[in-house]
Amino acid sequence: MKAIRQITILGSTGSIGESTLDVIARHPDRFQAFALTANKNVKKMLSQCQRFQPRYAVMLDMESAEQLTHATRAARIETEVLSGIESLEMVASL
């Protein structure tokens, strides 16, 4: 049995990111969303966090990260919300 690959998606709210998440959804035995990143689309990121339960969600925009933090807490989603370019670099290197 192969290990499940942990995937980080840079730009998960864009069309390519959504297509990648579709592949993950169709192959849960092979892939898992580890980290999702976006610039400002809080609504779409929240939906993705609810569905895929990633370890991290990174918003480049600080205000959007604060909004997502409040929304994930209210929804009892355990995803850790981070912000800024340093956080993006961190999840990309993991």
Side-chain angles (χ1 to χ4, degrees):
M1 182 178 201
K2 290 186 178 182
I4 294 176
R5 289 188 180 216
Q6 301 286 316
I7 307 295
T8 294
I9 302 175
L10 306 177
S12 68
T13 60
S15 61
I16 294 171
E18 288 185 319
S19 294
T20 304
L21 284 170
D22 184 55
V23 171
I24 290 172
R26 287 187 279 135
H27 299 282
D29 57 320
R30 297 175 60 193
F31 307 108
Q32 182 178 28
F34 176 73
L36 304 178
T37 74
N39 186 25
K40 292 184 175 187
N41 195 333
V42 174
K43 184 177 178 180
K44 194 176 284 188
M45 180 62 84
L46 178 61
S47 175
Q48 291 175 350
C49 288
Q50 287 172 321
R51 182 170 182 198
F52 293 97
Q53 301 289 312
R55 173 74 179 93
Y56 298 104
V58 178
M59 302 298 288
L60 287 179
D61 178 67
M62 177 68 93
E63 185 176 318
S64 297
E66 290 174 11
Q67 292 173 11
L68 183 62
T69 297
H70 293 300
T72 56
R73 286 182 184 160
R76 298 181 190 228
I77 298 169
E78 295 184 19
T79 298
E80 184 176 347
V81 178
L82 306 171
S83 66
I85 192 73
E86 298 84 10
S87 296
L88 180 64
E89 291 170 350
M90 187 222 22
V91 297
S93 68
L94 294 175

